[in-house]
Amino acid sequence: MYIGFDYGTANCSVAVMEDSKPKLLPLENNNQYIPSTLCAPTRESVSEYLYRFMGIKPSNSIGEQVLRRAMALNREEDIEVVAGDLQFGQAALELYLNDPEEVYYVKSPKSFLGANGLRDGQISFFEDLVCAMMVNIKRTAEQSLQQDIVSTVIGRPVNFQGIGGDSANQQAEGILSQAAKRAGFKNVCFQFEPVAAGLEYESTLTADKTVLVVDIGGGTTDCSLINMGPSFRHLSDRSASLLAHSGQRVGGNDLDIHLAFKQLMPQFGLGSKTLRGIDMPFNQFWNPIAINNVAAQTEFYSDANLRALEKLRHDAADPQLLSRLIHVYHETLGYQIIRHAEEAKIALSSHTHHTVNMALMQDLFEVDISAQQLAEAIETPKEKMRDLVIEAMAQSQVKPDAIFMTGGTARSPILRQCIEQQLPNIPIVSGSYFGSVTAGLARWGECCFG
């Protein structure tokens, strides 16, 4: 049995082929999409839980060292890891929101996998994170199917990072592949996410077309220009029909981060000054919400930075704002701020104004955001997405017959208008914003394992 597996930045989903059509499987409370989140009592609990309660051994000596260190730290802190301690998806989010200070919460670990400068221990830990999520999904899918799943096609972006090139891609794909094999998949192959989405759109065509697939997900934007249609549909080797690819780590998370920075972080001191009239340092307001940047998160939540924040509060003209930022530090609230920004972004796709209500300690405040302010806040990531379309067109020098937009972030009218302006008079079509990649991966599974 094989599945198509979209291990996404925002959500994960899997599909099987049933009666020659992809069928997405329920993964959490009958929902076909499970948020890409994990929650545990401590960081060290993840590796111990994976070993003790999921029965997954480390893949190498580095993994064994990570596990031994984790178990030792848990004993030292008098933390007993018990069944049910590791939560996934919406359950993980709710656990974090109920008590953010007392848990270890991770959203979108896929964003970290291609990061530069990761040490062997960090790579091994990320492999544990991904493996735990994959085990949960695989076992849930097997329970639904009442069959063992032994093979999978996993989607991957064209580029996991904006920098790092092939080495970053190899590192990220290596983590995903090793995690999948530890999770119990005997056969693992990969397909570009925009190509997979294109395969699903191709199933609806009655004539051959050249299609630009623009996949704007939570973590990456990818473009593929593909010749597709009835003449290509049953080919096991599609390399000749793939005309161009471009991709970068810029997606829905980046829109949320930029909106949070511009519109929410002033409530935490961004733009304020010290008593001597000096601007507060930029990084102190960017790093806590840069949830897709390992280095930024590590720097903000370090012991040394707490001392720096305390000094900034002492020197601040408005110390109350810095007190809010210190509260973010103590309770690891960066994810909550981004969640507010994401909700605002979604609301502003169909409304002209949205009010964010925030509560910190006994401190209640509101932030009104307009659709115009959203457009201004996301200008930088929007331009990066536009440049990827330009790059794909430059590679191929071929004008598409249609543009197929997919990915949750592709619903944004601002981004759709941007692409319309770049490629005028070319029809833009959409299928399932969330399910096209998963369905296409299942279709590609027929070529790999059918």
Side-chain angles (χ1 to χ4, degrees):
M1 188 72 183
Y2 65 85
I3 57 171
F5 196 147
D6 182 9
Y7 182 77
T9 304
N11 297 286
C12 296
S13 54
V14 299
V16 295
M17 293 300 291
E18 190 173 277
D19 298 327
S20 300
K21 293 182 179 179
K23 176 186 176 184
L24 271 67
L25 301 177
L27 296 178
E28 185 181 32
N29 300 325
N30 292 319
N31 195 324
Q32 296 170 334
Y33 305 98
I34 181 170
S36 300
T37 56
L38 177 149
C39 194
T42 64
R43 184 182 189 276
E44 290 72 27
S45 300
V46 176
S47 298
E48 182 172 349
Y49 194 97
L50 182 65
Y51 175 70
R52 291 185 57 198
F53 294 99
M54 291 180 151
I56 307 297
K57 296 179 181 179
S59 57
N60 53 36
S61 60
I62 300 295
E64 290 172 357
Q65 292 174 20
V66 169
L67 176 60
R68 284 197 298 269
R69 190 180 304 120
M71 294 176 78
L73 283 169
N74 285 332
R75 298 298 85 75
E76 194 176 300
E77 297 293 327
D78 200 27
I79 293 168
E80 182 183 358
V81 180
V82 299
D85 268 353
L86 212 57
Q87 295 289 319
F88 304 92
Q90 189 64 31
L93 175 60
E94 289 170 2
L95 193 60
Y96 163 71
L97 292 176
N98 285 336
D99 200 354
E101 189 177 8
E102 295 300 320
V103 297
Y104 173 75
Y105 177 75
V106 177
K107 178 183 179 184
S108 311
K110 183 180 179 182
S111 299
F112 307 148
L113 305 185
N116 292 332
L118 294 182
R119 300 185 299 275
D120 288 345
Q122 288 176 301
I123 290 174
S124 182
F125 175 69
F126 288 150
E127 187 187 299
D128 282 351
L129 277 178
V130 175
C131 183
M133 295 169 73
M134 286 184 168
V135 169
N136 177 63
I137 289 169
K138 181 175 183 288
R139 292 179 181 175
T140 302
E142 287 175 334
Q143 191 171 1
S144 174
L145 294 168
Q146 291 296 296
Q147 290 187 62
D148 290 338
I149 301 169
V150 297
S151 304
T152 185
V153 181
I154 301 174
R156 56 149 289 185
V158 173
N159 290 305
F160 284 86
Q161 295 281 108
I163 55 176
D166 287 342
S167 62
N169 290 332
Q170 289 167 10
Q171 173 181 285
E173 191 173 295
I175 293 171
L176 287 171
S177 179
Q178 190 62 41
K181 288 173 181 175
R182 290 175 66 198
F185 293 107
K186 293 182 172 61
N187 307 298
V188 179
C189 66
F190 291 87
Q191 179 58 274
F192 285 150
E193 289 159 356
V195 173
L199 294 174
E200 176 61 11
Y201 176 58
E202 181 182 58
S203 69
T204 69
L205 297 180
T206 56
D208 292 347
K209 289 184 178 182
T210 301
V211 178
L212 176 66
V213 180
V214 181
D215 178 14
I216 310 177
T220 57
T221 295
D222 297 287
C223 301
S224 288
L225 192 68
I226 310 171
N227 284 332
M228 62 171 70
S231 300
F232 302 92
R233 194 171 291 151
H234 302 294
L235 297 178
S236 58
D237 181 1
R238 295 298 297 262
S239 55
S241 66
L242 305 179
L243 307 181
H245 301 293
S246 64
Q248 192 177 350
R249 197 192 74 173
V250 56
N253 281 352
D254 298 274
L255 304 185
D256 301 337
I257 290 167
H258 278 77
L259 179 60
F261 183 73
K262 291 283 190 180
Q263 295 298 322
L264 301 184
M265 294 314 289
Q267 300 294 326
F268 298 87
L270 176 65
S272 65
K273 297 182 183 293
T274 67
L275 291 167
R276 296 168 58 194
I278 300 170
D279 290 338
M280 290 290 168
F282 167 96
N283 282 353
Q284 293 290 9
F285 307 97
W286 179 263
N287 288 350
I289 58 172
I291 60 170
N292 55 4
N293 186 319
V294 178
Q297 292 281 282
T298 302
E299 182 178 337
F300 182 78
Y301 290 108
S302 68
D303 292 340
N305 194 49
L306 177 58
R307 294 190 291 273
L309 291 172
E310 295 284 7
K311 187 175 189 312
L312 285 176
R313 178 167 60 180
H314 180 267
D315 295 340
D318 191 344
Q320 171 62 20
L321 296 180
L322 271 296
S323 292
R324 290 177 179 170
L325 188 62
I326 290 171
H327 188 64
V328 170
Y329 173 98
H330 283 303
E331 300 221 355
T332 323
L333 295 180
Y335 287 110
Q336 286 204 27
I337 296 172
I338 292 300
R339 181 172 170 80
H340 283 298
E342 181 183 16
E343 290 170 347
K345 176 191 69 178
I346 293 169
L348 290 169
S349 68
S350 55
H351 296 85
T352 57
H353 288 82
H354 177 75
T355 299
V356 174
N357 294 289
M358 301 191 74
L360 298 175
M361 303 172 285
Q362 302 302 312
D363 192 6
L364 305 176
F365 55 95
E366 295 182 346
V367 182
D368 293 319
I369 306 175
S370 69
Q372 179 60 34
Q373 288 172 321
L374 167 64
E376 292 168 359
I378 66 173
E379 182 67 22
T380 297
K382 184 192 78 173
E383 288 303 300
K384 289 181 180 179
M385 294 172 184
R386 181 183 67 87
D387 289 346
L388 291 170
V389 172
I390 294 172
E391 182 185 340
M393 292 296 94
Q395 282 180 32
S396 64
Q397 297 294 311
V398 175
K399 185 177 179 181
D401 300 308
I403 302 165
F404 179 65
M405 291 188 68
T406 190
T409 309
R411 296 172 297 170
S412 166
I414 296 172
L415 300 181
R416 182 175 288 258
Q417 183 183 37
C418 173
I419 292 174
E420 285 176 341
Q421 290 172 347
Q422 189 59 42
L423 295 171
N425 304 317
I426 297 175
I428 295 180
V429 295
S430 299
S432 167
Y433 285 110
F434 293 101
S436 294
V437 170
T438 318
L441 290 170
R443 290 185 185 277
W444 189 244
E446 285 191 313
C447 295
C448 298
F449 309 118

